[in-house]
Amino acid sequence: MRLDKYLCETGCGTRFEVKKKIKQGLVTVNGTPAKDGGMIIDELQDYICFNNQRLSYEKDLYFAFYKPAGCVTANEDALHKTVFDYFPDDIRKRINAVGRLDLDTEGLLFLTSDGDFLHHLISPSHRVPKTYYARLDHAVPNSAIESFMQGIDIGDEKPTIPAELEILSEEDCFSANLKICEGRFHQVKRMFHSIGCEVIYLKRIKEGAITLDGLLPGEYRKLTEDEIQQLKKKAN
Ligand code: URA
C-alpha cells in the first residue's frame, strides 16, 4: 500500500497533513526517513514510525456497535446521522455495516473491513440467529408462539422460517423477545403486524452469542478474537 494511504488509515492525519509530515522528516520506514508519500510499503512487515512512535496496522477491523435510534445504516443521508458518523475518519473509511437496522430500530450492529466476513454473514444461507426485544401496541397472543415456530406468511413468496418467540410479561404481554435466523426487509415488524400487533420499539439485543455487553447508544467496541472466530465458523 502507499505510505500516505497507510498513514491516513492509522490516524496520522489527512492526505495533505501526512504529506507535510513526511516532508518534515517525521516518518521513517525501517529506520530511514521517508521522502515520498507514494512510496509502496508492506503494511504488515515494515517498521513504520511517526514522530518516533511505531505505528501498527490492523489488517481487518471488526466492531460491535450500539446503533442509536434515529441514525441510518447508510453511507450518507441528508437528514440523519449515519452509523459511520460515530467512528473516526481513518476507521469509517475502511468499514461497512453487516446488514442494516431501520432508522427507528436500535441495538447491536456489526461493522467490518473484512468483505468475506460481511458477505458470509449476510448471505441467506448463513443463518446466525438474531434476537430482538420488541414492545408492541397490543398484547401478544400466546398462539403466536406456535405460529412463529411454524413459519408465517408476511406477504413474501415464502413463509418465514421457524422463529422463537418469548412473551415477556405475564401481566400485559406487550413485550417480547423474538429470535429469527433470516434478515428480510422489516422482518420483525412485519411478523408482528401479521398477528395484529404493531411494533412501537425495537432493539436488537443479540447476534449469535454476541450481545451489546454494556455498550451505550453510539458506543462501539472491537470484537474479540474469539467472537470473530465464532462468527466466522458459523459463516463457513
Ligand atoms: N426487523 C425490523 O422490522 N426492523 C429492523 O430494523 C430489523 C429487523
Side-chain angles (χ1 to χ4, degrees):
M1 127 174 358
R2 282 175 63 112
L3 177 64
D4 49 8
K5 183 166 190 275
Y6 173 87
L7 293 169
C8 294
E9 290 192 358
T10 49
C12 299
T14 61
R15 276 271 164 120
F16 179 74
E17 287 163 347
V18 303
K19 222 172 150 184
K20 251 173 63 182
K21 290 179 176 153
I22 293 170
K23 270 204 178 134
Q24 291 166 344
L26 296 174
V27 179
T28 58
V29 177
N30 302 323
T32 307
K35 292 200 178 74
D36 179 9
M39 167 184 187
I40 302 299
I41 52 117
D42 179 338
E43 65 274 15
L44 299 177
Q45 299 290 331
D46 286 336
Y47 196 97
I48 297 159
C49 292
F50 173 66
N51 264 341
N52 296 320
Q53 299 275 338
R54 183 168 189 191
L55 300 175
S56 70
Y57 185 77
E58 282 171 276
K59 188 168 171 290
D60 277 311
L61 304 170
Y62 303 86
F63 296 104
F65 171 59
Y66 186 153
K67 177 198 171 297
C71 81
V72 292
T73 318
N75 286 323
E76 279 175 51
D77 191 275
L79 288 180
H80 304 99
K81 256 181 125 151
T82 79
V83 294
F84 300 101
D85 291 337
Y86 291 85
F87 291 81
D89 277 355
D90 55 311
I91 292 178
R92 69 178 279 169
K93 276 190 275 192
R94 296 181 58 195
I95 54 175
N96 282 302
V98 180
R100 51 176 55 219
L101 291 174
D102 296 339
L103 175 67
D104 58 351
T105 302
E106 61 179 63
L108 182 61
L109 181 71
F110 298 141
L111 295 108
T112 183
S113 64
D114 180 343
D116 290 341
F117 177 79
L118 186 150
H119 286 113
H120 277 304
L121 284 179
I122 61 173
S123 88
S125 59
H126 173 58
R127 295 182 165 168
V128 71
K130 301 172 191 73
T131 307
Y132 294 84
Y133 166 77
R135 281 208 293 272
L136 296 313
D137 67 340
H138 283 90
V140 183
N142 261 315
S143 58
I145 297 174
E146 183 58 24
S147 314
F148 283 6
M149 187 46 75
Q150 293 301 322
I152 51 164
D153 179 1
I154 56 170
D156 292 341
E157 232 171 74
K158 288 186 180 164
T160 54
I161 63 171
E164 277 173 46
L165 176 67
E166 181 193 2
I167 299 171
L168 288 176
S169 164
E170 292 285 315
E171 278 160 31
D172 61 24
C173 307
F174 277 41
S175 53
N177 284 340
L178 177 61
K179 185 162 149 187
I180 58 175
C181 297
E182 296 172 288
R184 301 191 200 179
F185 184 63
H186 295 329
Q187 180 161 348
V188 174
K189 292 174 185 165
R190 288 160 70 206
M191 287 176 73
F192 281 111
H193 178 76
S194 77
I195 56 156
C197 296
E198 298 307 321
V199 170
I200 53 175
Y201 171 82
L202 188 60
K203 177 177 177 181
R204 181 151 72 198
I205 54 175
K206 203 169 176 187
E207 267 196 70
I210 299 166
T211 62
L212 284 161
D213 197 21
L215 289 176
L216 296 172
E219 290 183 344
Y220 58 88
R221 66 175 176 85
K222 282 188 179 167
L223 290 177
T224 64
E225 198 47 46
D226 262 8
E227 290 173 328
I228 297 165
Q229 290 315 321
Q230 265 177 44
L231 290 165
K232 279 188 176 170
K233 243 189 243 155
K234 289 210 183 241
N236 286 326

